[in-house]
Amino acid sequence: MPARHLSNGEIAAELMALAQFIAAKGGNPYKVKAYRRAARTIKSLGESIDELVRNDFDLTEFPGIGQAISSAIQELVRTGTLRQLETVRSQAAPELLEIAEHPRLDPRRVLRVYKRLGISSIAALKEKLAEGEIRTRFGMRMEQHVRQGLQEAHDMLYYEAETVVAAIKTFLRRQCGIRKAEPVGECRRKVEIVREISFLVEADDLHAVLTKVAGYGGKADILTATDTEALAQLSSGTLLRLTASPHKKWGVALIETTGDEEHLRQLRTYNSKWDLAVSSDESFPTERSVYHYLGLSFIPPELREGKDEIALAAENRLPNLVCAEDIRGELHAHSTSSDGANTIEEMMAAAQELGYDYIGISDHSQTLKIARGLSEEALWEQIRFIDNLNARLNGIRVLKSAEVDILIDGALDYPNDLLKELDYTICSIHSRFGQGKAEQTDRILRAMDNRYFNILGHATGRLLLKRPGYEIDVERIVEHARNNRCFFEINSSPDRLDLSADNARIARQAGVKVAITTDAHSTGEFAYLRYGIDQARRAGFPKTSILNHLPWPELERTLKR
DNA sequence: GCCGTTTTCGGCCCGACTGTTTTCAGTCG
């Protein structure tokens, strides 16, 4: 048995390396996926896998870990190495050894780049990336892949962070005996990409807490520590910031740890009372008490990013932000007719269960073959089907819609005589992302000229942490939308969140309403709604500017153009 | 390699289009 205990991060890295070698050899891609999935599972755990193994815990209890991977982990923990991996390592070329240490790089793609550029090291790859040669020789996509793959980044999507936050919170409470631990920072502001997880804690001795935290996931590094603040790096790479505050100053500390730099800077300069609140002996147990003391109304955490919230709070003019209860229906959902997992009836029943008044079925249009887009004939049939269904329904209405592709020339993917039969349309770009900003903008503007265009679907096509999305001139498109009675969606899918909060803010300020939609491909995905709500709140939307807050008759009138 | 209300094998989505990589591999949902 080795003297050294392995952290979850180290175990995961070995499995990832093995996956990289298998992938490089062109091995079974499902096997590669299985190793990667297992590694991700392990990384996300707070309990030490090493310890679990030594206590003979059955690792196959964890999702994605079966007999083979469980045995591999046991071997790793008990002997310190994995024979299978060492064998592969001893036979691998030096450049591959290096690539295997970068789990986010696709080995086969990188090896192809090496060959064409006549290089053989990560250092040279970085150089070529910096010189822009990856882009010129291999295109934007490859550049993006290499950049992401080389980044020592531990950013995660907000919805992934939620799981980590919950695990850490449990750890702080149970293992560290902390009475009160509240997630703050980016997580509390609901920022879509979380770079650092932070907690405000009520603890008498932060250093004692840190000794426990150092064992999180087998081992965590304490990077910096004072009596009141510490930064740790978990073995998964995630940064965890802990700030300690006494109960008496909890409100002040919450504000300090929640707002971004700009919000705090503006608070300090707003009036001298902020410094007093921080330093005086006076008790401020709640945020409300602090804001009141400053002469401001309560600022919801999602707005604390130094935009216009302090000026508005000073005049008591902050918007009453939309919340999930304000949503009366879903406007973007798929069914088995295209690429959804549930039938129209099942989607309808689930929507009814949620208390919705209406649900729009927006299946893909004919050109999007991969998503089994509906032919004209199939859409006609769906329209008749929904008419019949509605005749039998009580309490909920199924809306006739489609997610219509915006073709390369800005034309919509169905003829107008078919589009006019729909209650409304969601129009989206699903192809030719590589167009320039001007072309892509014109494409959308032309599409909006069609009177059957209602809502622009996922305006930029971004996939968070994966793909930047196509470039568009948001101001011009918002302006055109306003003039043509077109609208936007905030797509709540946690890796899209498109419109972004910033773009949504531009729409709101121009007076253009948005729909908060889930783009649900199954009944379970209706639950994504809250992520879209978060972005709408960050953009300062009150419910009155949300399309699917409206009752159907009013929504119908609003959509008419 | 994992998984199972389709349960110990066979599926794990997939199919047409695209290309400042070039004739396959990557890409769209």
Side-chain angles (χ1 to χ4, degrees), chain A residues 327 329-334 356 358 360 362 401 403 424-426 428 455-459 488-494 496-499 514-520 525-533 536 546-548:
Chain A
I327 299 303
E330 171 65 68
L331 290 174
H332 187 172
H334 294 267
Y356 287 163
Y358 48 82
S362 307
S401 173
E403 183 174 8
Y424 68 95
T425 60
I426 292 189
S428 314
I455 299 169
L456 179 63
H458 43 71
F488 294 87
E489 77 169 357
I490 293 180
N491 189 303
S492 308
S493 182
R496 287 193 182 272
L497 296 172
D498 186 12
L499 302 177
V514 304
I516 305 176
T517 68
T518 64
D519 201 353
E525 292 182 2
F526 285 135
Y528 289 160
L529 182 76
R530 61 196 188 88
Y531 303 112
I533 299 272
I546 302 299
L547 282 177
N548 46 335

Side-chain angles (χ1 to χ4, degrees), chain A residues 480-512:
Chain A
H480 205 69
R482 192 182 56 182
N483 295 337
N484 290 276
R485 292 177 68 85
C486 298
F487 304 94
F488 294 87
E489 77 169 357
I490 293 180
N491 189 303
S492 308
S493 182
D495 61 349
R496 287 193 182 272
L497 296 172
D498 186 12
L499 302 177
S500 65
D502 283 342
N503 286 341
R505 181 173 285 266
I506 295 171
R508 178 177 64 76
Q509 285 169 343
V512 175

Side-chain angles (χ1 to χ4, degrees), chain A residues 25 33 35 62 87 93 110 149 152 163 178 267 271 291 298-299 365 372 408 419 431 481 492 507 532:
Chain A
K25 272 197 304 193
K33 251 191 206 167
Y35 276 107
F62 294 115
T87 309
V110 173
E152 261 300 320
T163 318
I178 284 177
L267 267 189
N271 64 26
Y291 282 121
F298 177 80
I299 302 175
S365 61
R372 300 200 303 275
I408 185 63
L419 292 174
S431 61
S492 308

